[in-house]
């Protein structure tokens, strides 16, 4: 049997067995974006507090220029030999992303400045998509990372978050909350597991 | 082996068992604080439970919808009836791409299918990239917890293991130092891998996409460099809508580790340009569980591990004492559903305290299922004959009040007159670390009768 | 109101004073009661061992014995939970007689607070009391808030004991962890069971508990067994015994 016909035979067999004794259908709950969900008087403050609790840093600045000035004084940025930005005027790039075809070439990126779409106050997650970078690995491979979002773009909770995005529209999209971390050795929290060792989220007021 | 002797062995090292218990209780407390910070927590649990129950009731529909949408996104969809089929499918994909090395992020499904040894036997290097999983892989042992695979290992032991395999300094045991060493070691593996394998936390029928959650970023790094991404999932991972993700992502990490959300919650909807994304849908007994009204709800599990963290038995007996891929309360249901004879002691490794049921983010009635599983084992004659006989015997007594009274009197008398050595000996497990109750001369019914007869006058307070 | 006493089999044989205290408490609140003599065991040990066929005749017997009473009151959350939550499978869905018995079987603190509406008990008990939340009372009958669930419920034991003169409550590190009794679990998993019990006892020792109490004698039998073996200075009392003792002492708050 070819693997295609094996696959369709398995498919039929599984679906047949699942259909064999299905329970009575129960309703699917309504989940409106603005339901009885937790909101915050000041979502930005909550976002900052939660981000700090997960090891990240929020920096609120009036414009891109101010973010750039802040970044150039930031130790990890200053120490990174290989730097990359996708936001004009916020940091600079030491390599040309558009000339890179193989993502392995990004192995040594020390710092990347990338675009986030919005933040979620309840968990400090920032929504990112691969429409904003040529290689999605950039969200995971740099030693340090900054995400910039417009300061007005903080939603309260995940229901509001999913209410405003087209998840299926991007091969890759996701939420990033803080730098990479692990507690797999005796429950001791260590920041910088495989991904970024630090995460700065810029909230830019005039963008 | 059965659970009790392995548990006894684990508790014999009391300070280590306490250390293990405290580490997990710490996670449970973090979970409590997180749950407490969400006013609608209980409502979220209700919703999560309802979504899962609904999904399973229409699973064929959602599986087909998922497949249709995934195919439209350019995803290759595979169906595997058994663990063996799953392994074969994965191997075929890897062989088609001449893959020699893979990196794999956490997937309980691939553990269940024993994918690693299968691929290794076929000449493929498999590297588990979750730090905890890498530690247990290097130590050549299974994970002891589904979220915290190396929770049973002390940092000094990780230090020894890394000294041997990764060349860290002898005697070094600082978690930050060891993690840094693993980071360097695994970066190499990420960059050398020809394919990445991940599990799936949620598969969205409405879009045909999958969601993978990690804190380390290992799943994402593992599938963003090589050209092939294989995602392996049980068919129960389906959810109908994108909006359902809000409920589950709010519950998952809070329940699992007491974090507001995992660091990375990645949504994959199709391959990178010039690359391939494969999704393997695995049955391996799940369709049978769907047919069981008693145990169907066990399929709602989102593998957060909260039931393990809260289980007073798991915390004190360690994950390995369960000898099953998924240990703890949920594992004690899933494992006997797979092989009731091999795992017949697990539903009894439980005091029926119900903490697991109350902590479960999808409201699986875990302790009731454990009780029902005991009944199933009884039906299948998988309960020790001695236990069955003694229960028959006691039930026989309880059916006859006179016999109950007589034997009760005899038992009380024995406890009062027998010398200590006749009561406390090796055939009395109760008395090894505990005293038996001090036997009174009279039973309640005697005292009640005495009192009625002496006090049956107008002064009787009972009116 | 016709109230039957349901005194669990092991309480009948080994803890008659707990039964008598239950009687005294009911009488204190003017409740007439009866003890149906043919009662034995509710069948929980068999059911929890997976021997449902052995439990079934005992469940049927229980309904037979307690049919016709308005309430069936027991000083044990665990046995009550067996009747109320686990008898269903032994009876026909339409069997109204068994349904009525099941629904009207109440744990003592439930009966006092929810049926009699007791909100305060006047009396004196000048001791530091450590409450052990017995699991089946807590997570099956919901006699208090369990620490896992983010929903506040009245703590019935605290309601009943809280107003006694001089009483103080222990602050435990783990306020509702299982003691490790668990029926046959106590013997089948002796090592884990005793470690759990030992940990509970230590928590109470650390907290300064003088009197350890609970709504279930089975948990207390296990914990007392450990306390006595280790020669700890903690008195073990069912909450009915505390109430019976407290109401006998003139209270300063009593009007």
């Amino acid at each position: 049997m070819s693997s295609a016909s094996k696959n369709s035979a398995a498919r039929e067999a599984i679906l047949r067995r699942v259909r064999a004794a299905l329970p009575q259908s129960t309703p699917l709950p309504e989940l409106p974006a603005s339901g009885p969900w937790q909101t915050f008087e000041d979502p930005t403050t909550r976002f900052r507090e939660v981000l700090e609790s997960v090891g990240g840093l929020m920096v609120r600045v009036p414009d891109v220029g101010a973010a750039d000035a802040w970044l150039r004084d930031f130790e990890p940025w200053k120490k990174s030999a290989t730097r990359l930005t996708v936001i004009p005027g916020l940091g600079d790039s030491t390599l040309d992303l558009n000339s890179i075809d193989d993502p392995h070439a990004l192995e040594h990126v020390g710092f990347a400045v990338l675009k986030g779409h919005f933040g979620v106050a309840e968990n400090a997650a920032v929504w990112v998509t691969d429409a904003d970078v040529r290689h999605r690995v950039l969200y995971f491979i740099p030693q340090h990372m900054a995400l910039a979002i417009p300061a007005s773009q903080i939603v309260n909770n995940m229901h509001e978050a999913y209410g405003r995005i087209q998840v299926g529209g991007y091969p890759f999209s996701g939420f990033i909350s803080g730098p990479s971390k692990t507690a797999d050795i005796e429950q001791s929290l260590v920041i910088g597991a495989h991904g970024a060792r630090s995460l700065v989220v810029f909230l830019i007021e005039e963008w | 082996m059965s659970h009790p002797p392995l548990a006894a062995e684990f508790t014999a090292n009391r300070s280590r068992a306490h250390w293990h218990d405290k580490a997990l209780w710490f996670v449970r407390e973090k979970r409590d604080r997180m749950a407490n910070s969400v006013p609608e927590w209980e409502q979220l649990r209700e919703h999560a439970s309802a979504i899962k129950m609904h999904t399973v009731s229409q699973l064929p529909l959602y599986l087909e919808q998922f497949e249709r949408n995934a195919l439209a996104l350019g995803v290759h969809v595979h169906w595997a009836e058994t663990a063996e089929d799953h392994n074969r499918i994965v191997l075929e994909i890897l062989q088609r791409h001449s893959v020699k090395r893979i990196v794999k992020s956490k997937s309980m499904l691939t553990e269940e299918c024993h994918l690693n040894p299968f691929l290794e036997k076929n000449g493929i290097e498999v590297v588990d990239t979750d730090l905890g999983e890498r530690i247990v892989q290097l130590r050549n042992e299974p994970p002891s917890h589904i979220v915290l695979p190396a929770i049973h290992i002390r940092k000094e032991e990780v230090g020894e293991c890394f000294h041997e395999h990764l060349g860290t300094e002898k005697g070094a045991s600082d978690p930050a130092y060891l993690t840094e060493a693993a980071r360097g070691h695994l970066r190499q593996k990420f960059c050398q891998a020809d394919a990445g394998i991940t599990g799936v936390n949620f598969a969205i029928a409405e879009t045909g996409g999958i969601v993978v959650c990690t804190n380390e970023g290992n799943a994402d790094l593992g599938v963003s460099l090589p050209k092939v991404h294989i995602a392996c999932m049980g068919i129960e991972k389906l959810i109908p809508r994108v909006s359902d993700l809000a409920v589950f992502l709010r519950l998952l990490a809070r329940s699992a580790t007491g974090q507001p959300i995992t660091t990375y919650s990645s949504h994959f909807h199709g391959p990178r340009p010039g690359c391939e994304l494969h999704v393997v849908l695995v049955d391996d007994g799940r369709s049978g569980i769907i047919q069981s009204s008693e145990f169907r709800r066990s399929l709602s599990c989102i593998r957060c591990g909260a039931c393990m963290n809260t289980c007073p038995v798991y915390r004190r007996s360690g994950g390995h004492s369960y000898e099953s891929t998924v240990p703890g309360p949920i594992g004690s249901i899933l494992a006997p559903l797979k092989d009731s004879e091999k795992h017949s002691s697990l539903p009894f490794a439980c005091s029926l305290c119900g903490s697991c049921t109350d902590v479960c983010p999808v409201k699986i009635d875990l302790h009731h299922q454990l009780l029902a599983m005991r009944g199933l084992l009884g039906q299948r004659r998988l309960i020790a004959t001695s236990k069955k006989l003694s229960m028959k015997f006691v039930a026989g007594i309880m059916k006859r009040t006179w016999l109950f009274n007589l034997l009760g009197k005899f038992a009380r008398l024995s406890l009062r007159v027998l010398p200590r050595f006749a009561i406390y000996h090796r055939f009395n497990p109760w008395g090894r670390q505990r005293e038996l109750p001090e036997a009174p001369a009279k039973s309640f019914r005697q005292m009640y009768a005495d009192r009625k007869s002496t006090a049956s006058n107008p002064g009787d307070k009972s009116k | 109101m016709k109230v039957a006493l349901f005194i669990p089999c092991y309480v009948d044989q080994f803890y008659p004073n707990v039964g008598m205290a239950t009687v005294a408490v009911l009488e204190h609140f003017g409740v007439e009661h009866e003890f149906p003599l043919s009662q034995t065991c509710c069948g929980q040990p068999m059911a929890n061992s997976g021997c449902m066929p052995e439990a079934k005749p005992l469940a049927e017997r229980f309904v037979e014995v307690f049919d016709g009473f308005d309430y069936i009151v027991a000083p044990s959350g665990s046995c009550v939970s067996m009747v109320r939550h686990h008898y269903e499978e032994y009876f026909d869905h339409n069997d109204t007689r068994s349904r009525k018995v099941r629904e009207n079987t109440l744990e003592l603190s439930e009966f006092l607070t929810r049926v009699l509406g007791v909100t305060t008990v006047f009396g004196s008990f000048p001791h530091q009391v450590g409450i052990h939340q017995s699991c089946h009372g807590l997570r099956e009958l919901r006699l208090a808030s369990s620490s896992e669930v983010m929903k506040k419920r009245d703590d019935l034991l605290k309601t009943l004991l809280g107003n006694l003169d001089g009483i103080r409550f222990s602050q435990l590190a783990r306020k509702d962890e299982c003691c490790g009794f668990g029926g046959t679990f106590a013997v089948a998993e002796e090592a884990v069971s005793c470690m759990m019990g030992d940990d509970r006892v230590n928590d109470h020792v650390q907290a300064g508990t003088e009197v350890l109490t609970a709504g279930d004698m089975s948990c207390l039998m296990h914990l007392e067994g450990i306390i006595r073996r280790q020669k700890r200075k903690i008195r073990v009392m069912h909450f009915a015994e505390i109430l019976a003792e407290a109401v006998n002492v003139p209270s300063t708050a009593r009007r």
Side-chain angles (χ1 to χ4, degrees), chain B residues 221-238:
Chain B
L221 208 42
V223 301
S224 301
L225 290 168
K227 287 190 181 303
V228 182
H229 172 186
I230 306 172
C232 305
M233 59 177 274
I235 52 175
E236 82 283 14
K237 293 290 172 196
L238 260 287

Side-chain angles (χ1 to χ4, degrees), chain C residues 196-233:
Chain C
M196 286 164 69
D198 194 44
D199 289 349
R200 284 292 80 231
V201 169
N202 277 318
D203 198 353
H204 281 279
V205 170
Q206 293 297 316
T209 295
E210 293 163 24
V211 178
L212 174 62
T213 194
D216 254 300
M217 240 11 250
S218 51
C219 308
L220 292 178
M221 174 168 74
H222 166 67
L223 292 171
E224 186 187 34
I226 291 169
I227 287 169
R228 276 172 45 222
R229 176 64 59 89
Q230 297 179 358
K231 301 191 167 39
R232 305 273 195 181
K233 291 195 171 37

Side-chain angles (χ1 to χ4, degrees), chain C residues 172-191:
Chain C
L172 299 170
R174 300 185 185 182
K175 72 184 188 95
D176 55 13
E177 196 182 29
C178 176
C179 68
F181 171 67
T184 51
F185 175 83
V187 176
E189 290 268 6
E190 187 263 350

Side-chain angles (χ1 to χ4, degrees), chain C residues 78-97:
Chain C
S78 190
C79 302
V80 168
S81 161
M82 171 69 191
V83 175
R84 216 152 78 204
H85 297 309
H86 300 280
Y87 266 18
E88 207 176 341
E89 63 178 288
Y90 302 114
F91 297 94
D92 188 88
H93 187 69
N94 301 317
D95 180 353
T96 49
R97 194 173 72 130

Side-chain angles (χ1 to χ4, degrees), chain B residues 315 355 367 401 445 451, chain C residues 27 37 61 140 148 177:
Chain B
R315 276 187 268 111
S355 183
H367 74 295
T401 314
R445 62 184 68 216
R451 170 187 160 287
Chain C
E27 288 178 357
L37 280 171
R61 203 184 138 89
E140 294 256 319
E148 299 87 1
E177 196 182 29

Side-chain angles (χ1 to χ4, degrees), chain C residues 158-174:
Chain C
K158 279 228 167 110
T159 302
L160 292 171
L161 299 175
N163 196 54
L164 299 177
D165 278 358
I167 200 165
R168 304 177 314 281
F169 294 108
S170 297
Q171 297 297 320
L172 299 170
R174 300 185 185 182

Side-chain angles (χ1 to χ4, degrees), chain A residues 78-136:
Chain A
K78 287 197 279 187
K79 283 187 182 154
S80 295
T82 312
R83 302 186 297 264
L84 224 155
T85 182
V86 299
I87 298 168
L90 178 41
D92 54 35
S93 298
T94 61
L95 44 82
D96 177 18
L97 192 54
N98 287 323
S99 70
I100 292 170
D101 291 325
D102 181 357
H104 289 86
L106 297 165
E107 186 187 344
H108 299 292
V109 172
F111 206 114
V113 181
L114 305 168
K115 198 170 156 232
H117 290 242
F118 62 89
V120 185
E122 70 160 320
N123 55 21
V126 175
W127 175 251
V128 299
T129 76
D130 58 2
D132 305 301
V133 285
R134 178 142 186 243
H135 296 288
R136 66 167 76 145

